[in-house]
Amino acid sequence: MITGYNTDVRHNDVVFHVQTEDKGLSNPFIESLVYVGGQVLASKRSSYSELIVEGKGEEKEIVALMDHQHRTMIAAIRHGKLDTKLQSLLAGKQTSAFEAAKTAGGDTGTIARPAPAPAAPPPPASPAPAARPLPPPASAPARERTLDQVILEYLTNEADQEQLVLLVEDQVQVELGKQAQLAIRTRSSKSGLPVVGSQVSVRMISTVADPRILATGRTDDEGLASLTFEIPAIGRGTAALIITAVSAIGRAELKHLL
């Protein structure tokens, strides 16, 4: 099973946490969850069972789907697509807090007020002055954009910018205590063209040892880097490979459980 992505996105002074993961070949779904304050705000599940039936359910295909769905959820946040759901969530919290306070304090009832005294008769009306023509309305000044609008515009532009896409070519067997060979490819999210000269690295992290770098390299003119390295064996605990690429257009990362 491929481990997923976790990204914090700040929108309108609210931090959204986006989590995307693969449920595995036995449960072929890619699930994305959006959290705010520890509560699930939105979710998206996509099945890739058709890819498996067609014999295309390779790791690189699944990773590409995960990457696309994760970026789609981030773009939805930055374009304000989840603002209505967020307002409903916040309104629900405020209603719950009010109901709790009301239950704790009890019903205060209605306070009786004395009836007002009869009003004195009005004085005789004086002749109304002659009406004066109203001055023409002044043209309304142009409304200045709010800070929220400026932030939303900035984040929307940022979502449309070019980003780095990282893929592992071919599905290879990667196991503890054995040699591995990975073909790592980088490309542009907008043009799909190779990203030349990306710095790629493979690190191993585990629950029983410090992180260690197993291999490094750079992508060639086709955006490809072939790395061969030994994966250390560990007697206990769990481990994962962290594949990272850094380029002029950004940074991308993949995780693979061992």
Side-chain angles (χ1 to χ4, degrees):
M1 183 177 69
I2 307 167
T3 54
Y5 302 106
N6 289 276
T7 304
D8 286 335
V9 182
R10 180 175 291 276
H11 170 56
N12 289 346
D13 292 330
V14 176
V15 176
F16 298 74
H17 181 75
V18 185
Q19 174 183 302
T20 301
E21 62 181 0
D22 168 36
K23 293 300 183 179
L25 295 179
S26 60
N27 186 25
F29 282 94
I30 294 173
E31 182 179 63
S32 295
L33 298 174
V34 179
Y35 294 88
V36 173
Q39 295 191 27
V40 177
L41 178 68
S43 64
K44 179 178 177 62
R45 283 170 63 91
S46 302
S47 172
Y48 58 88
S49 57
E50 292 184 2
L51 291 180
I52 298 177
V53 173
E54 297 172 0
K56 300 179 182 179
E58 299 181 0
E59 183 172 318
K60 65 177 182 179
E61 302 290 344
I62 299 172
V63 169
L65 290 174
M66 289 176 58
D67 181 80
H68 175 74
Q69 181 163 306
H70 192 71
R71 294 180 187 276
T72 298
M73 298 301 286
I74 292 175
I77 293 171
R78 290 175 170 171
H79 284 76
K81 301 297 184 182
L82 302 184
D83 287 358
T84 301
K85 288 189 175 183
L86 177 62
Q87 292 173 1
S88 299
L89 177 65
L90 297 178
K93 287 184 177 181
Q94 292 173 355
T95 301
S96 299
F98 173 77
E99 293 295 337
K102 180 178 179 182
T103 302
D107 191 358
T108 56
T110 305
I111 301 175
R113 299 180 181 274
S126 57
R132 296 182 180 180
L134 295 175
S139 57
R143 293 186 62 183
E144 191 173 319
R145 291 185 301 165
T146 66
L147 179 59
D148 286 347
Q149 290 173 328
V150 174
I151 293 174
L152 180 58
E153 180 180 327
Y154 168 77
L155 293 176
T156 301
N157 292 335
E158 184 183 32
D160 294 334
Q161 289 180 358
E162 187 176 29
Q163 300 183 48
L164 183 67
V165 176
L166 173 62
L167 298 171
V168 176
E169 296 284 310
D170 304 325
Q171 187 163 359
V172 296
Q173 193 71 17
V174 180
E175 298 180 6
L176 290 168
K178 295 186 177 181
Q179 186 182 76
Q181 184 173 5
L182 297 181
I184 301 170
R185 186 177 298 277
T186 55
R187 61 178 175 82
S188 164
S189 63
K190 294 188 72 173
S191 66
L193 297 175
V195 179
V196 180
S198 300
Q199 178 67 45
V200 297
S201 63
V202 179
R203 288 182 296 134
M204 175 178 168
I205 60 173
S206 72
T207 57
V208 295
D210 294 332
R212 67 189 78 179
I213 296 178
L214 303 183
T216 60
R218 286 189 178 274
T219 56
D220 58 17
D221 292 342
E222 297 181 353
L224 186 66
S226 297
L227 301 180
T228 302
F229 52 92
E230 296 287 338
I231 302 178
I234 57 176
R236 55 190 176 84
T238 57
L241 293 182
I242 309 296
I243 305 168
T244 306
V246 180
S247 72
I249 63 172
R251 172 190 177 95
E253 186 176 275
L254 294 176
K255 300 174 185 177
H256 183 87
L257 289 178
L258 296 172

